[in-house]
Amino acid sequence: MALTLPKTETRPVVGRGVVLVLALACGVAVGNVYFPQAISPSIASGLGVSPDAAALVVTATQFGYAAGIFLLVPLGDRVPHRRLVVTLLALAGAGLLAAGAAPGVPPLAAASAFVGAVTVVAPILGPMAAGLVEPDRRGVTSGILLGGSIGGMLLSRTLGGFAGEWLGWRAPYLAMAALTLGSALVLARVLPRTRPSSRERYPALLAASLRLLRTEPELRRSCLYQAAIFGGFSAAWTGVALLLTGPAYGLTTRSVGLLALVNAATMFCTPVAGRLADRHGPGPVNRLSMVAVVASALVLAIGTAGGAIGLAGLVAGFLVLDVAMQSGMVANQVRIYALRDSERSRLNTAYMTCAYLGGSAGSWLGAQAFGRFGWYGVCGLVAGLAVLVLGKAVRSSGGSQWRDGSRGV
């Protein structure tokens, strides 16, 4: 059974400086998942393999990350946070060094899957940080950490692409290994000592995520919201790569990476979303985010015009879509972190697993929609998923309550 420890032992209050350090660590860890996307062509040319074979490295990293979320994130409730986080970062650094020295695609893919599995530090630090700050700071803290993750995603792809082009594909792996190991050293000194909130055996920890999905309606609500919105988000990014490299624009895949830079604004918006969720509850932030996703789909549809007008529509539409998706994620995390103090990591495991399943399905649906209906089909899919959950959110807004308060959501 879960063991809830006294508040003085499980919730030491930390300052903004420590939260910012945690955000940087999240950025480094998340960057390990995304930088291979930018250097896949360099891997293909450097190892003398086809682009499809090199793409297996990206797939292996993402598969490992999904497996790590399910298998390792629940340990955040069972193992002291400092020991767990530092160990995972050290293992990720070692895996990156092995990947940078790999002689071919099979060992590189194996090392990449290992790195993906053990670099799940961000989903562990999120619930941990929620227990290190006062309840009325959880939203803004989640926003700051999410902003760090977004920054890592952006900078790793951008800098990884430049480093891979100038210095070869091994350079980004070695650079990320240095950053990851450096983060482990910093967190070994910065993270406060915490005690586990549970003494359950490992199989029970894994089963707990499924149990929580069954017993916690607010968790199911957050999972549904994020799976749908993240599914639309993934569908849009899958479809836009086909749009930009197709006859309407005739651009290279590098243009997709440049378009991704609009995500930078999200780093500054997520803390604001967190403050709104702290002040008004997660429900209003969710509903506003869903409305913004529908609006973004309408703006993204301008992309069919091509030329400067179409590009302007894509930039504006993706800016709104990214801010809306990430703001909704902050609201959902505020909701689930308020459910059970002693099981935050397992709650986050269920939530993140559902979110990534929705994103994976959205990527597939986005490709299918583009193939059959073009860019309009993708925009319709994004809007349709948002309308689906918006209707549920509006119907639920009158009766549901926070578990740790009385605000309606």
Side-chain angles (χ1 to χ4, degrees):
M1 296 181 60
L3 172 66
T4 302
L5 299 173
K7 180 177 180 180
T8 56
E9 293 182 320
T10 59
R11 241 191 234 170
V13 178
V14 299
R16 184 178 177 86
V18 173
V19 173
L20 292 176
V21 171
L22 298 182
L24 290 174
C26 287
V28 171
V30 170
N32 290 336
V33 180
Y34 286 96
F35 82 85
Q37 295 177 344
I39 63 171
S40 181
S42 298
I43 293 174
S45 59
L47 294 177
V49 298
S50 68
D52 289 343
L56 291 175
V57 175
V58 178
T59 302
T61 306
Q62 294 177 338
F63 177 80
Y65 191 71
I69 289 175
F70 182 75
L71 295 173
L72 297 179
V73 171
L75 291 174
D77 290 331
R78 181 66 177 83
V79 180
H81 290 118
R82 182 160 66 179
R83 183 195 308 170
L84 177 62
V85 170
V86 171
T87 299
L88 290 177
L89 286 173
L91 290 173
L96 288 164
L97 290 174
V105 169
L108 176 57
S112 297
F114 176 78
V115 170
V118 297
T119 199
V120 289
V121 168
I124 294 173
L125 288 179
M128 185 204 73
L132 296 178
V133 300
E134 296 294 346
D136 60 357
R137 290 177 55 205
R138 286 175 183 162
V140 67
T141 299
S142 295
I144 292 172
L145 265 62
L146 184 56
S149 297
I150 296 168
M153 178 182 68
L154 290 173
L155 294 177
S156 67
R157 285 193 292 198
T158 303
L159 299 180
F162 281 110
E165 183 175 344
W166 291 342
L167 303 174
W169 68 269
R170 299 182 191 274
Y173 280 98
L174 300 178
M176 291 304 297
L179 287 174
T180 302
L181 293 173
S183 297
L185 292 175
V186 171
L187 291 186
R189 296 181 60 86
V190 169
L191 284 181
R193 293 183 180 274
T194 59
R195 295 180 60 186
S197 59
S198 172
R199 291 178 179 171
E200 292 185 76
R201 295 180 180 273
Y202 180 64
L205 289 175
L206 295 183
S209 297
L210 299 177
R211 171 180 57 79
L212 289 167
L213 273 173
R214 185 181 70 252
T215 59
E216 293 288 353
E218 294 302 289
L219 173 61
R220 294 197 300 272
R221 178 200 305 275
S222 293
C223 290
L224 174 63
Y225 290 172
Q226 194 61 26
I229 298 303
F230 191 49
F233 174 87
S234 299
W237 280 106
T238 298
V240 78
L242 301 173
L243 175 67
L244 291 177
T245 57
Y249 289 93
L251 300 175
T252 65
T253 54
R254 187 184 300 271
S255 62
V256 182
L258 293 175
L259 180 61
L261 290 176
V262 302
N263 285 329
T266 316
M267 292 188 292
F268 306 100
C269 295
T270 49
V272 176
R275 292 189 187 95
L276 292 175
D278 286 335
R279 184 175 303 171
H280 304 291
V285 178
N286 275 136
R287 294 191 291 275
L288 181 60
S289 297
M290 295 166 189
V291 172
V293 171
V294 176
S296 74
L298 298 176
V299 178
L300 286 171
I302 300 173
T304 57
I309 294 177
L311 284 174
L314 292 176
V315 169
F318 272 108
L319 176 60
V320 176
L321 176 62
D322 293 352
V323 170
M325 192 278 290
Q326 302 289 3
S327 297
M329 176 173 281
V330 172
N332 290 325
Q333 288 178 323
V334 169
R335 181 184 291 110
I336 66 172
Y337 291 162
L339 295 177
R340 301 190 184 192
D341 288 354
S342 63
E343 298 183 84
R344 287 199 185 100
S345 289
R346 284 163 284 181
L347 288 163
N348 204 38
T349 296
Y351 171 70
M352 295 294 291
T353 300
C354 291
Y356 273 90
L357 286 175
S360 300
S363 294
W364 184 83
L365 290 172
Q368 299 302 309
F370 188 88
R372 296 188 179 187
F373 307 107
W375 182 239
Y376 280 130
V378 176
C379 295
L381 175 62
V382 173
L385 289 171
V387 169
L388 178 66
V389 290
L390 178 60
K392 179 174 178 57
V394 170
R395 290 193 300 271
S396 302
S397 62
S400 61
Q401 303 268 328
W402 285 32
R403 283 283 300 273
D404 67 338
S406 58
R407 294 180 185 272
V409 296

